[in-house]
Amino acid sequence: MAVVNQYKFAGIDNNTSGGALTPLGASIPAVNETIVIKSILVTSAGTPVVTITNNSITAIKSIALTANQTKELLTQPLIVEGGKTFTVQASTSDSFDVAISYLNIKKEVTT
């Protein structure tokens, strides 16, 4: 079994829906993957409170963001295990952008 490390970036320009976002993709990480998130940057047009959920557990809940500023939400890396869900959601329907830098560790079966 080979392990492949891929450094990636995911970004979402959120409109004013206020719904939960899956910036890494709906089925990412897959069961054979582990993701180590290094940075979560949020830029807000309004003043929402941003909630980061990892496997249905609130991992981060920001204070109300200041409009037109960028804030780093992580102080330490965040691990997302394979087959789990990772979502970003705002408390209001204010528009915001989220940018995530991460390491995707894939276990590939080689024959």
mmCIF file of all heavy atoms in Angstrom, residues 8 10 13 18 23 31-33 37 39 44-45 47 49 51-53 64 72 78 80 91 96 99 110:
data_model
loop_
_atom_site.group_PDB
_atom_site.id
_atom_site.type_symbol
_atom_site.label_atom_id
_atom_site.label_comp_id
_atom_site.label_asym_id
_atom_site.label_seq_id
_atom_site.Cartn_x
_atom_site.Cartn_y
_atom_site.Cartn_z
ATOM 1 N N LYS A 8 -3.209 20.833 -0.844
ATOM 2 C CA LYS A 8 -4.302 21.378 -1.640
ATOM 3 C C LYS A 8 -4.863 22.658 -1.025
ATOM 4 O O LYS A 8 -4.595 22.976 0.133
ATOM 5 C CB LYS A 8 -5.430 20.353 -1.763
ATOM 6 C CG LYS A 8 -5.040 19.119 -2.542
ATOM 7 C CD LYS A 8 -6.242 18.271 -2.796
ATOM 8 C CE LYS A 8 -5.908 17.170 -3.801
ATOM 9 N NZ LYS A 8 -7.097 16.497 -4.260
ATOM 10 N N ALA A 10 -8.728 24.805 -1.042
ATOM 11 C CA ALA A 10 -10.142 24.841 -1.414
ATOM 12 C C ALA A 10 -10.691 26.196 -1.018
ATOM 13 O O ALA A 10 -10.405 26.709 0.069
ATOM 14 C CB ALA A 10 -10.922 23.737 -0.708
ATOM 15 N N ASP A 13 -16.703 30.987 -2.531
ATOM 16 C CA ASP A 13 -17.283 32.325 -2.486
ATOM 17 C C ASP A 13 -18.750 32.113 -2.131
ATOM 18 O O ASP A 13 -19.565 31.824 -2.994
ATOM 19 C CB ASP A 13 -17.123 33.020 -3.837
ATOM 20 C CG ASP A 13 -17.734 34.412 -3.841
ATOM 21 O OD1 ASP A 13 -18.170 34.885 -2.783
ATOM 22 O OD2 ASP A 13 -17.768 35.018 -4.925
ATOM 23 N N GLY A 18 -26.746 31.189 3.619
ATOM 24 C CA GLY A 18 -26.751 30.863 5.035
ATOM 25 C C GLY A 18 -26.732 29.369 5.313
ATOM 26 O O GLY A 18 -26.787 28.950 6.452
ATOM 27 N N PRO A 23 -16.695 22.701 1.876
ATOM 28 C CA PRO A 23 -15.624 23.224 1.017
ATOM 29 C C PRO A 23 -14.663 22.172 0.490
ATOM 30 O O PRO A 23 -14.022 22.387 -0.532
ATOM 31 C CB PRO A 23 -14.899 24.229 1.914
ATOM 32 C CG PRO A 23 -15.267 23.858 3.290
ATOM 33 C CD PRO A 23 -16.603 23.206 3.235
ATOM 34 N N VAL A 31 -12.983 7.315 2.643
ATOM 35 C CA VAL A 31 -12.599 6.411 3.731
ATOM 36 C C VAL A 31 -11.094 6.170 3.760
ATOM 37 O O VAL A 31 -10.498 6.038 4.829
ATOM 38 C CB VAL A 31 -13.371 5.077 3.609
ATOM 39 C CG1 VAL A 31 -12.885 4.065 4.616
ATOM 40 C CG2 VAL A 31 -14.852 5.323 3.781
ATOM 41 N N ASN A 32 -10.446 6.167 2.604
ATOM 42 C CA ASN A 32 -9.003 5.899 2.547
ATOM 43 C C ASN A 32 -8.156 7.166 2.648
ATOM 44 O O ASN A 32 -6.976 7.149 2.337
ATOM 45 C CB ASN A 32 -8.648 5.152 1.256
ATOM 46 C CG ASN A 32 -8.864 6.000 0.019
ATOM 47 O OD1 ASN A 32 -9.708 6.898 0.008
ATOM 48 N ND2 ASN A 32 -8.106 5.731 -1.018
ATOM 49 N N GLU A 33 -8.752 8.271 3.105
ATOM 50 C CA GLU A 33 -8.038 9.542 3.193
ATOM 51 C C GLU A 33 -8.103 10.111 4.612
ATOM 52 O O GLU A 33 -9.047 9.867 5.353
ATOM 53 C CB GLU A 33 -8.654 10.584 2.257
ATOM 54 C CG GLU A 33 -8.597 10.231 0.800
ATOM 55 C CD GLU A 33 -9.335 11.231 -0.069
ATOM 56 O OE1 GLU A 33 -10.373 11.771 0.354
ATOM 57 O OE2 GLU A 33 -8.866 11.470 -1.176
ATOM 58 N N ILE A 37 -5.896 19.968 8.134
ATOM 59 C CA ILE A 37 -6.152 21.357 7.733
ATOM 60 C C ILE A 37 -5.182 22.265 8.487
ATOM 61 O O ILE A 37 -5.113 22.243 9.707
ATOM 62 C CB ILE A 37 -7.607 21.758 8.019
ATOM 63 C CG1 ILE A 37 -8.554 20.858 7.219
ATOM 64 C CG2 ILE A 37 -7.830 23.229 7.688
ATOM 65 C CD1 ILE A 37 -10.020 21.070 7.525
ATOM 66 N N SER A 39 -4.899 25.798 7.606
ATOM 67 C CA SER A 39 -5.377 27.174 7.663
ATOM 68 C C SER A 39 -6.817 27.268 7.187
ATOM 69 O O SER A 39 -7.181 26.634 6.192
ATOM 70 C CB SER A 39 -4.485 28.057 6.777
ATOM 71 O OG SER A 39 -5.001 29.365 6.687
ATOM 72 N N SER A 44 -15.271 38.295 5.331
ATOM 73 C CA SER A 44 -16.705 38.518 5.437
ATOM 74 C C SER A 44 -17.114 39.872 4.885
ATOM 75 O O SER A 44 -16.434 40.867 5.089
ATOM 76 C CB SER A 44 -17.130 38.432 6.905
ATOM 77 O OG SER A 44 -18.487 38.706 7.030
ATOM 78 N N ALA A 45 -18.261 39.876 4.202
ATOM 79 C CA ALA A 45 -18.850 41.136 3.748
ATOM 80 C C ALA A 45 -19.762 41.713 4.830
ATOM 81 O O ALA A 45 -20.068 42.894 4.830
ATOM 82 C CB ALA A 45 -19.642 40.925 2.463
ATOM 83 N N THR A 47 -21.296 40.593 9.159
ATOM 84 C CA THR A 47 -20.808 40.304 10.506
ATOM 85 C C THR A 47 -21.330 38.963 11.035
ATOM 86 O O THR A 47 -21.859 38.884 12.142
ATOM 87 C CB THR A 47 -21.205 41.423 11.482
ATOM 88 O OG1 THR A 47 -22.631 41.547 11.453
ATOM 89 C CG2 THR A 47 -20.559 42.738 11.128
ATOM 90 N N VAL A 49 -21.305 34.988 12.533
ATOM 91 C CA VAL A 49 -20.516 34.085 13.361
ATOM 92 C C VAL A 49 -20.348 32.821 12.531
ATOM 93 O O VAL A 49 -21.331 32.256 12.056
ATOM 94 C CB VAL A 49 -21.239 33.775 14.694
ATOM 95 C CG1 VAL A 49 -20.496 32.689 15.458
ATOM 96 C CG2 VAL A 49 -21.387 35.030 15.527
ATOM 97 N N THR A 51 -19.288 28.895 12.015
ATOM 98 C CA THR A 51 -19.155 27.651 12.751
ATOM 99 C C THR A 51 -18.541 26.589 11.849
ATOM 100 O O THR A 51 -19.026 26.359 10.743
ATOM 101 C CB THR A 51 -20.525 27.158 13.261
ATOM 102 O OG1 THR A 51 -21.095 28.171 14.084
ATOM 103 C CG2 THR A 51 -20.396 25.870 14.053
ATOM 104 N N ILE A 52 -17.473 25.949 12.328
ATOM 105 C CA ILE A 52 -16.808 24.850 11.626
ATOM 106 C C ILE A 52 -17.213 23.566 12.341
ATOM 107 O O ILE A 52 -17.028 23.440 13.552
ATOM 108 C CB ILE A 52 -15.272 24.999 11.671
ATOM 109 C CG1 ILE A 52 -14.822 26.372 11.153
ATOM 110 C CG2 ILE A 52 -14.596 23.848 10.941
ATOM 111 C CD1 ILE A 52 -15.081 26.628 9.712
ATOM 112 N N THR A 53 -17.761 22.607 11.580
ATOM 113 C CA THR A 53 -18.202 21.345 12.154
ATOM 114 C C THR A 53 -17.392 20.206 11.557
ATOM 115 O O THR A 53 -17.243 20.112 10.340
ATOM 116 C CB THR A 53 -19.702 21.122 11.864
ATOM 117 O OG1 THR A 53 -20.419 22.250 12.343
ATOM 118 C CG2 THR A 53 -20.218 19.885 12.555
ATOM 119 N N ALA A 64 -18.347 37.195 16.288
ATOM 120 C CA ALA A 64 -18.914 37.891 15.129
ATOM 121 C C ALA A 64 -17.778 38.547 14.351
ATOM 122 O O ALA A 64 -16.957 39.262 14.923
ATOM 123 C CB ALA A 64 -19.927 38.931 15.569
ATOM 124 N N GLU A 72 -8.088 34.473 10.445
ATOM 125 C CA GLU A 72 -7.636 33.076 10.506
ATOM 126 C C GLU A 72 -8.362 32.414 11.671
ATOM 127 O O GLU A 72 -8.314 32.892 12.791
ATOM 128 C CB GLU A 72 -6.123 33.013 10.728
ATOM 129 C CG GLU A 72 -5.585 31.620 11.002
ATOM 130 C CD GLU A 72 -5.780 30.648 9.865
ATOM 131 O OE1 GLU A 72 -5.293 30.915 8.750
ATOM 132 O OE2 GLU A 72 -6.438 29.619 10.088
ATOM 133 N N LEU A 78 -6.157 20.992 12.211
ATOM 134 C CA LEU A 78 -7.403 20.274 12.474
ATOM 135 C C LEU A 78 -7.412 19.020 11.614
ATOM 136 O O LEU A 78 -7.194 19.088 10.402
ATOM 137 C CB LEU A 78 -8.599 21.163 12.136
ATOM 138 C CG LEU A 78 -9.988 20.577 12.329
ATOM 139 C CD1 LEU A 78 -10.256 20.284 13.801
ATOM 140 C CD2 LEU A 78 -11.039 21.540 11.801
ATOM 141 N N VAL A 80 -9.320 15.824 9.891
ATOM 142 C CA VAL A 80 -10.618 15.318 9.439
ATOM 143 C C VAL A 80 -10.372 13.888 8.966
ATOM 144 O O VAL A 80 -9.640 13.662 8.005
ATOM 145 C CB VAL A 80 -11.210 16.173 8.296
ATOM 146 C CG1 VAL A 80 -12.580 15.645 7.901
ATOM 147 C CG2 VAL A 80 -11.294 17.637 8.706
ATOM 148 N N SER A 91 -23.865 32.173 10.822
ATOM 149 C CA SER A 91 -25.055 32.332 11.646
ATOM 150 C C SER A 91 -26.122 33.179 10.960
ATOM 151 O O SER A 91 -27.288 33.110 11.321
ATOM 152 C CB SER A 91 -24.678 32.992 12.972
ATOM 153 O OG SER A 91 -24.128 34.280 12.722
ATOM 154 N N PHE A 96 -19.798 35.615 2.713
ATOM 155 C CA PHE A 96 -18.419 35.484 3.157
ATOM 156 C C PHE A 96 -17.688 34.497 2.261
ATOM 157 O O PHE A 96 -18.298 33.664 1.609
ATOM 158 C CB PHE A 96 -18.334 35.052 4.630
ATOM 159 C CG PHE A 96 -18.764 33.636 4.895
ATOM 160 C CD1 PHE A 96 -17.836 32.621 4.978
ATOM 161 C CD2 PHE A 96 -20.102 33.326 5.065
ATOM 162 C CE1 PHE A 96 -18.228 31.316 5.217
ATOM 163 C CE2 PHE A 96 -20.503 32.028 5.314
ATOM 164 C CZ PHE A 96 -19.573 31.018 5.391
ATOM 165 N N ALA A 99 -11.352 30.141 2.717
ATOM 166 C CA ALA A 99 -10.193 29.583 2.011
ATOM 167 C C ALA A 99 -9.487 28.608 2.947
ATOM 168 O O ALA A 99 -9.159 28.964 4.082
ATOM 169 C CB ALA A 99 -9.245 30.704 1.599
ATOM 170 N N THR A 110 -1.644 -0.624 -4.131
ATOM 171 C CA THR A 110 -0.858 -0.881 -5.339
ATOM 172 C C THR A 110 -0.694 -2.391 -5.489
ATOM 173 O O THR A 110 -0.570 -3.118 -4.515
ATOM 174 C CB THR A 110 0.521 -0.204 -5.259
ATOM 175 O OG1 THR A 110 1.193 -0.660 -4.090
ATOM 176 C CG2 THR A 110 0.397 1.296 -5.221
#
